[in-house]
Amino acid sequence: MIPLPYYLIASTALLSVGIFGVLTRKHVIQILLSVELILNAVTINFVAFSLYIIPERPIGQVFAIFVITFAAAKVGVGLAIILAIYKSLRTANIEDIRLLKW
Amino acid sequence: MEISTVQLVAFGIVTAIMLISALLVVTARNIVHAVFFLIVTLFCVAGYFILLLADFLAAVQILIYVGAVVVLIVFGLILTRARVGQAIPMEEVRQRLWAVLVSLVFFGGASYALLNEKWPVVSVEKMEVTTTSKIADTLFNTYVLPFQVTSVLLLAGLIGAIVLAMREEK
């Protein structure tokens, strides 16, 4: 078997890439894509811990299913918010959305 | 713990494709390309699940993420009339530098912490493919309350999405 830290380092790398995307991208949908990367990194960790630490009970996999459900709900609500913003502001660029910015 | 070469090669290939396509997701100038690279990344995560003996989750990953979430994002792209096929404006270089710094510092710190932790890993003989019935047993016996809460979350998300998207324009 592949040692557990390999999976942990790979998922940390994926998470870092996602953080980079959230910090640099300007379009709201691309930020949503970066958040998907972060959630996937978390899921990899859950499944890896599930196999390597308690293989007799797939608790980590059950939590991974919860994370995937959460991601689906998040994308639905997120896109609805983006659509509402687009309707009123005619833009999806994060720089132009500053109604709450002092 | 002995490392099988086949698994290691598969792990290396999947990791390389996953990280390269993840980098392309966050650097692509065209949003539609970014979405397609996200599909590649999600398939690679499904490959990880297969390597981790979680076949049910690999199927769920492809069905829900690639099948539903990505399609939803593409619909969002169409509805916001994103400049499909056109490049989006460049970010400032300074912001990009800070973002690289932050993510590298995070990666370094987290890897250092993860590598220095002594994980209570069980022996290889105990590891076996997690069958779907085992997952169902855990989900519907131990975690039946969180499961119900998740369904309420999905319902709330559904209603919220409809209310937000159907709001009348003034």
Side-chain angles (χ1 to χ4, degrees):
Chain A
M1 291 299 284
I2 300 153
L4 175 63
Y6 285 28
Y7 286 106
L8 301 181
I9 297 299
S11 80
T12 312
L14 192 61
L15 191 88
S16 305
V17 172
I19 290 175
F20 173 77
V22 169
L23 290 177
T24 54
R25 300 281 60 189
K26 290 288 193 294
H27 197 281
V28 190
I29 290 179
Q30 281 201 309
I31 294 174
L32 217 59
L33 295 184
S34 307
V35 176
E36 291 301 326
L37 290 183
I38 293 176
L39 285 174
N40 270 285
V42 173
T43 321
I44 293 173
N45 265 7
F46 270 133
V47 179
F49 283 134
S50 171
L51 178 70
Y52 282 84
I53 291 177
I54 29 168
E56 64 277 0
R57 291 181 69 216
I59 298 172
Q61 298 197 21
V62 169
F63 273 87
I65 292 173
F66 288 148
V67 172
I68 290 173
T69 320
F70 164 74
K74 182 214 82 181
V75 168
V77 175
L79 282 175
I81 292 172
I82 292 170
L83 280 186
I85 289 173
Y86 184 80
K87 264 187 198 164
S88 51
L89 295 181
R90 295 273 135 207
T91 180
N93 189 335
I94 205 87
E95 299 274 291
D96 302 331
I97 304 167
R98 40 171 183 249
L99 284 174
L100 288 178
K101 211 168 169 184
W102 189 247
Chain B
M1 194 186 283
E2 67 168 306
I3 304 172
S4 104
T5 325
V6 181
Q7 273 183 329
L8 204 63
V9 168
F11 179 83
I13 292 170
V14 171
T15 309
I17 297 174
M18 184 186 76
L19 289 181
I20 289 168
S21 56
L23 275 173
L24 288 170
V25 169
V26 296
T27 51
R29 291 258 149 266
N30 187 328
I31 304 179
V32 182
H33 293 176
V35 173
F36 288 145
F37 285 123
L38 182 74
I39 294 176
V40 177
T41 313
L42 295 174
F43 265 110
C44 291
V45 174
Y48 266 16
F49 291 165
I50 291 169
L51 280 173
L52 286 165
L53 310 179
D55 48 357
F56 175 72
L57 264 182
V60 165
Q61 170 86 6
I62 290 171
L63 278 176
I64 295 183
Y65 262 114
V66 184
V69 171
V70 169
V71 172
L72 209 60
I73 290 173
V74 172
F75 267 115
L77 275 180
I78 295 168
L79 290 174
T80 54
R81 294 179 197 81
R83 284 158 293 179
V84 174
Q86 276 181 37
I88 41 180
M90 289 278 282
E91 308 82 16
E92 302 110 58
V93 181
R94 247 184 89 211
Q95 187 182 359
R96 191 164 257 230
L97 279 177
W98 276 108
V100 169
L101 191 71
V102 167
S103 45
L104 278 183
V105 165
F106 174 80
F107 178 70
S111 317
Y112 178 78
L114 289 171
L115 287 175
N116 280 293
E117 177 70 39
K118 202 91 182 80
W119 300 105
V121 175
V122 297
S123 60
V124 186
E125 298 83 59
K126 283 191 194 156
M127 293 177 190
E128 52 184 27
V129 176
T130 318
T131 55
T132 311
S133 67
K134 239 170 160 183
I135 297 175
D137 191 50
T138 315
L139 186 59
F140 293 115
N141 281 326
T142 322
Y143 294 102
V144 71
L145 186 65
F147 176 75
Q148 299 287 353
V149 173
T150 314
S151 62
V152 175
L153 171 81
L154 274 178
L155 182 70
L158 184 73
I159 296 171
I162 292 172
V163 167
L164 281 169
M166 293 292 285
R167 206 171 46 181
E168 289 294 311
E169 278 183 81
K170 290 187 197 87

